[in-house]
Amino acid sequence: MVAVQNPLIPFDHTYILYSPDNIFSLPLAAASLTPILILVFLFSWFVITREIEPCIFAAGHVCNDILSGILKNTVRYPRPIRGQIFKQDGGLVWGMPSSHTQFMSFWFTYTLLAYILNYPGRSISKKCQLIYSIGAMFTVGMVIASRIVFEYHNWNQVIVGLLLGSVLACFYWVFVNLLREYGIIDRLLSGKIFKLLLVKDSFGRGSFPLLEDERRVYEEIVSVKGDSAARRN
């Protein structure tokens, strides 16, 4: 007699069913993966630049997610019954607040405060601020729509997630600014591990470059090399 093995189950955090007949279904399914893409971007930002800023941002997301998990298991408000990941038991039973929405709300609010409205060293033009803000709001809206359309959450869970993420991001932004104001981050970066990894905090010193600044420096370097080559010939 052949023993029956335990059935395999999907990894529900990324297991999304969508309708190929609906043109909006696939984009909404992809939007559910936005938090993962944001974390990958923050990791890449740190690896490439060795800036401490993406680590600070990611740490805020971690704290935000931990609080979301604590609230879910405390409030114990179930997900919509017809939703794809409605469960009677396991780690995804509770849905208050929506973690995806809280993540995206934290991301939008911190991005707005730290990068769009208060970019260090210079102010971004009003036009660019408007464009960046609309793009960020559209991204958040897509994630919210995916939670409602696929019935992962109801509107109550989404709204609470929005409010919590926004409030936490405001407090976290103030907290990070206080750490910089009192030199705590600088003292942290003076440690041996951070020196070994060449970690720096250009953002906190108001010298964080824009893409146009990096492009101008690149063109100057290319121009100098070109002049040197011409003189040798």
Side-chain angles (χ1 to χ4, degrees), residues 103-121:
F103 182 102
M104 294 305 299
S105 179
F106 184 96
W107 169 80
F108 171 77
T109 305
Y110 190 87
T111 298
L112 183 69
L113 293 173
Y115 309 138
I116 297 179
L117 298 181
N118 295 288
Y119 200 88

Side-chain angles (χ1 to χ4, degrees), residues 121-158:
R122 65 167 71 189
S123 60
I124 300 177
S125 68
K126 296 296 183 181
K127 180 181 179 180
C128 288
Q129 287 181 352
L130 180 61
I131 293 174
Y132 297 156
S133 299
I134 292 175
M137 284 189 290
F138 176 78
T139 304
V140 175
M142 287 288 289
V143 175
I144 292 175
S146 73
R147 312 319 286 172
I148 297 298
V149 170
F150 295 131
E151 296 186 273
Y152 295 157
H153 298 280
N154 57 35
W155 277 109
N156 292 333
Q157 296 166 350
V158 165

Side-chain angles (χ1 to χ4, degrees), residues 210-230:
L210 295 173
L211 289 177
E212 62 186 43
D213 297 327
E214 295 180 346
R215 178 67 187 182
R216 184 172 59 253
V217 171
Y218 166 76
E219 291 176 349
E220 291 174 354
I221 294 174
V222 171
S223 177
V224 170
K225 289 183 178 179
D227 292 341
S228 300

Side-chain angles (χ1 to χ4, degrees), residues 8-183:
L8 299 178
I9 60 174
F11 183 65
D12 292 326
H13 293 78
T14 55
Y15 184 73
I16 304 171
L17 301 177
Y18 68 93
S19 171
D21 299 327
N22 188 331
I23 61 174
F24 299 108
S25 188
L26 179 57
L28 289 176
S32 295
L33 302 178
T34 303
I36 298 176
L37 298 178
I38 289 175
L39 293 177
V40 170
F41 167 77
L42 292 176
F43 177 74
S44 301
W45 180 8
F46 169 72
V47 170
I48 293 172
T49 66
R50 292 298 193 274
E51 290 288 345
I52 193 65
E53 178 63 23
C55 297
I56 293 173
F57 201 172
H61 277 303
V62 171
C63 295
N64 182 55
D65 192 60
I66 291 174
L67 180 60
S68 178
I70 292 174
L71 289 174
K72 280 184 176 180
N73 287 284
T74 302
V75 177
R76 303 174 74 83
Y77 190 120
R79 297 174 184 268
I81 294 177
R82 294 191 304 169
Q84 293 182 20
I85 52 177
F86 173 75
K87 291 176 175 294
Q88 299 292 339
D89 53 30
L92 298 176
V93 175
W94 313 119
M96 174 67 85
S98 166
S99 294
H100 272 71
T101 306
Q102 188 173 329
F103 182 102
M104 294 305 299
S105 179
F106 184 96
W107 169 80
F108 171 77
T109 305
Y110 190 87
T111 298
L112 183 69
L113 293 173
Y115 309 138
I116 297 179
L117 298 181
N118 295 288
Y119 200 88
R122 65 167 71 189
S123 60
I124 300 177
S125 68
K126 296 296 183 181
K127 180 181 179 180
C128 288
Q129 287 181 352
L130 180 61
I131 293 174
Y132 297 156
S133 299
I134 292 175
M137 284 189 290
F138 176 78
T139 304
V140 175
M142 287 288 289
V143 175
I144 292 175
S146 73
R147 312 319 286 172
I148 297 298
V149 170
F150 295 131
E151 296 186 273
Y152 295 157
H153 298 280
N154 57 35
W155 277 109
N156 292 333
Q157 296 166 350
V158 165
I159 291 172
V160 171
L162 277 173
L163 293 175
L164 279 175
S166 183
V167 170
L168 287 171
C170 290
F171 280 107
Y172 188 69
W173 179 70
V174 172
F175 174 69
V176 170
N177 277 275
L178 289 175
L179 292 180
R180 286 193 167 113
E181 181 71 21
Y182 289 98

